[in-house]
Amino acid sequence: MSYSAMLGGTRWTFADLKTLLGKASPARSGDTLAGIAAESATERVAAQTALADLPLKTFLDTALIPYEEDEVSRLIHDGHDASAFTAISHLTVGAFREWLLDERTTTTDLTRLAPGLTPEMVAAASKIMRAQDLIVVAAKCRVTTAFRNTIGLAGRMSTRLQPNHPTDDSRGIAASLLEGLLFGVGDAVIGVNPATDGLDDYLRIVTLLDDIRRRLDIPTQTCCLGHVTTAMQALSAGAPVDLVFQSIAGSEKANRGFGISLSMLAEVHDAALALGRGTVGQNVMYFETGQGSALSADAHFGVDQQTMEARAYAVARRFKPLLVNTVVGFIGPEYLYNGKEITRAGLEDHFCGKLLGLPMGCDVCYTNHAEADQDDMDALLTLLSAAGVTFVIAVPGADDVMLNYQSLAFHDVLYVRETLGRRSAPEFETWLQGIGVVDPGGRALQKSPTAAIAPAIALIERMAS
């Protein structure tokens, strides 16, 4: 079925739904690389006009990737909650945008609606929204998860402490971890990307992280970001695994490229859940996504990268994760060319994830060969904080020396705490107060912490001797 719109006395026609969505997307290098982007600003506006008039029900009747050929499509279709969708089933994409922005539409309304939305619906809405629209709506969404602390509460922004090391050296990991804690970072998770994916390294890292957490009695969770197959072996070996991590994408073929399937994720989810390691909740999964992953695997089926990204959120939603984040600028300028495209993508991803009911965070980042700099990251961090982002990632000095990309520094988190008043998870904040890092209002103290941090310092000193 084709779709059309009149613009400036000219009728523009788009051959099918995936063509319409691709042409309506704000400009980005990945869609141009795939040959599906609008060829002019005028064509883009025409496609957005046609998309705004499209009934939301269309997305229930038209599969962008055939149901029979793709398990993600089956998950989306079979998991759709028709009763939740009833409230907006009569709307077009444009009218849905207006409904979302209406001040009478509340957080409760959006929470109730989430199971009735498909990824394609929210992706379509995002394509006709400006940056402030994405921020206003996302700020109204409230998604709360829990493990050893409670994440996603109003007025809070959590952080992942990422103490990566180029050789997975335990002393280097521990030293970076301690530095992050002294900046009040780490309530979302203390998570290490291992340089290798061997079982021995995985076991050593999760044991190290859990040892430090227990020694300091930190109300947070730890994670080694190895592959789920490695995590499953570690679980079988009795390792102290809090969260299971996996990168995911929006098609079965792309997920096969990651070496995973939905059944594999279900198996490891159940194994982690059976450990019962959480104290205030049992959300045990951690997923990362990123625009361009399906295209880079030649597994996008002609669908634009932002819609494919939103489809990944259907996979995440299936497993009730503690955390989900887009690594927005990590894949490179072939997919998001510059700071403007990275900023737009970060706001889109956060908006779509929150609307679908996910605890959505963002790795505010860029690669060294992208046309972006730290000013762009400051701007995106500020915009996401205004939008109520669930968590962000921070590394020592903003420079990840293992993954070789630029992210946020620990002091960037202090900027958000001081300027926008976003506080840590309450259980973690209480712990920070106890060791003298923050005051009762959650603000950083300008003094050395108490002796409560001494066990971690002693551990690092023993490693170095």
Side-chain angles (χ1 to χ4, degrees):
M1 179 180 177
S2 64
Y3 305 90
S4 62
M6 288 292 297
L7 189 67
T10 301
R11 177 168 293 279
W12 295 79
T13 300
F14 306 94
D16 52 29
L17 186 54
K18 67 174 66 174
T19 300
L20 178 64
L21 289 168
K23 300 290 187 182
S25 285
R28 66 207 61 204
S29 54
D31 290 341
T32 300
L33 177 67
I36 59 178
E39 295 183 8
S40 67
T42 302
E43 185 180 25
R44 181 172 297 109
V45 171
Q48 290 171 341
T49 301
L51 184 60
D53 290 336
L54 191 72
L56 286 174
K57 288 181 178 179
T58 304
F59 295 102
L60 300 178
D61 302 326
T62 307
L64 299 180
I65 304 174
Y67 179 95
E68 299 77 14
E69 301 174 14
D70 185 82
E71 67 175 0
V72 177
S73 292
R74 293 193 289 276
L75 174 67
I76 293 168
H77 182 275
D78 297 347
H80 181 251
D81 187 331
S83 61
F85 180 62
T86 300
I88 60 163
S89 61
H90 59 291
L91 299 179
T92 62
V93 173
F96 179 43
R97 170 187 175 274
E98 296 301 320
W99 182 86
L100 290 170
L101 291 169
D102 194 319
E103 62 184 15
R104 294 170 295 181
T105 300
T106 65
T107 297
T108 300
D109 294 328
L110 295 176
T111 301
R112 188 181 301 119
L113 175 63
L117 294 173
T118 69
E120 293 84 356
M121 291 176 189
V122 298
S126 75
K127 295 177 193 299
I128 61 169
M129 301 179 88
R130 57 191 291 188
Q132 68 176 245
D133 296 342
L134 299 172
I135 293 168
V136 166
V137 176
K140 289 198 287 186
C141 296
R142 183 66 50 212
V143 181
T144 304
T145 57
F147 191 77
R148 288 197 188 91
N149 56 39
T150 309
I151 294 171
L153 296 171
R156 308 275 177 171
M157 185 192 77
S158 293
T159 53
R160 171 184 161 190
L161 170 50
Q162 183 168 296
N164 292 347
H165 190 277
T167 63
D168 289 341
D169 181 79
S170 293
R171 293 168 299 177
I173 291 171
S176 294
L177 191 163
L178 179 59
E179 181 187 8
L181 291 175
L182 296 179
F183 277 89
V185 173
D187 55 330
V189 64
I190 301 172
V192 173
N193 296 90
T196 66
D197 201 31
L199 178 60
D200 289 345
D201 268 357
Y202 188 105
L203 293 172
R204 176 173 58 82
I205 290 170
V206 294
T207 302
L208 170 66
L209 298 180
D210 190 62
D211 188 16
I212 294 174
R213 181 194 63 78
R214 288 187 294 103
R215 285 171 184 266
L216 299 182
D217 196 25
I218 312 171
T220 190
Q221 35 285 330
T222 64
C223 183
C224 180
L225 280 72
H227 193 269
V228 290
T229 53
T230 308
M232 182 61 81
Q233 294 178 67
L235 286 164
S236 298
V241 176
D242 287 346
L243 304 185
V244 173
F245 167 84
Q246 183 56 50
S247 295
I248 56 174
S251 72
E252 180 179 349
K253 182 180 178 182
N255 283 324
R256 282 203 306 268
F258 285 134
I260 61 168
S261 64
L262 296 182
S263 61
M264 184 183 296
L265 293 176
E267 180 182 4
V268 75
H269 170 261
D270 292 346
L273 199 60
L275 293 182
R277 289 176 60 83
T279 56
V280 297
Q282 293 296 329
N283 299 111
V284 297
M285 299 299 286
Y286 175 19
F287 295 116
E288 280 191 343
T289 65
Q291 288 193 30
S293 60
L295 175 57
S296 68
D298 191 26
H300 64 107
F301 299 90
V303 179
D304 68 274
Q305 66 180 36
Q306 191 258 330
T307 301
M308 289 302 297
E309 169 73 3
R311 285 171 55 93
Y313 303 157
V315 177
R317 183 167 63 173
R318 161 67 177 79
F319 299 102
K320 299 179 175 60
L322 180 77
L323 305 166
V324 182
N325 72 259
T326 169
V327 281
V328 65
F330 181 74
I331 301 181
E334 299 84 1
Y335 307 96
L336 295 169
Y337 179 70
N338 57 21
K340 181 179 178 64
E341 292 186 6
I342 292 171
T343 298
R344 173 74 196 191
L347 294 176
E348 289 170 347
D349 295 349
H350 180 250
F351 164 88
C352 290
K354 280 289 187 64
L355 268 187
L356 290 169
L358 289 176
M360 200 68 196
C362 183
D363 189 353
V364 179
C365 64
Y366 64 100
T367 58
N368 289 309
H369 62 311
E371 291 294 322
D373 58 28
Q374 213 63 39
D375 282 346
D376 296 311
M377 300 305 101
D378 286 349
L380 179 54
L381 172 61
T382 304
L383 294 172
L384 286 170
S385 300
V389 68
T390 300
F391 74 105
V392 295
I393 294 175
V395 305
D399 186 5
D400 191 307
V401 295
M402 194 280 282
L403 292 174
N404 194 30
Y405 79 116
Q406 305 300 310
S407 185
L408 297 176
F410 300 144
H411 63 263
D412 295 325
V413 175
L414 295 185
Y415 151 70
V416 175
R417 301 264 185 258
E418 293 293 328
T419 307
L420 299 177
R422 297 292 188 264
R423 300 169 66 168
S424 303
E427 301 90 344
F428 189 78
E429 185 179 273
T430 298
W431 178 80
L432 290 175
Q433 292 170 12
I435 66 169
V437 171
V438 302
D439 67 15
R443 293 178 296 273
L445 293 171
Q446 301 299 316
K447 65 177 184 178
S448 299
T450 67
I453 206 77
I457 297 174
L459 175 63
I460 296 170
E461 290 174 342
R462 285 197 300 274
M463 289 177 180
S465 63

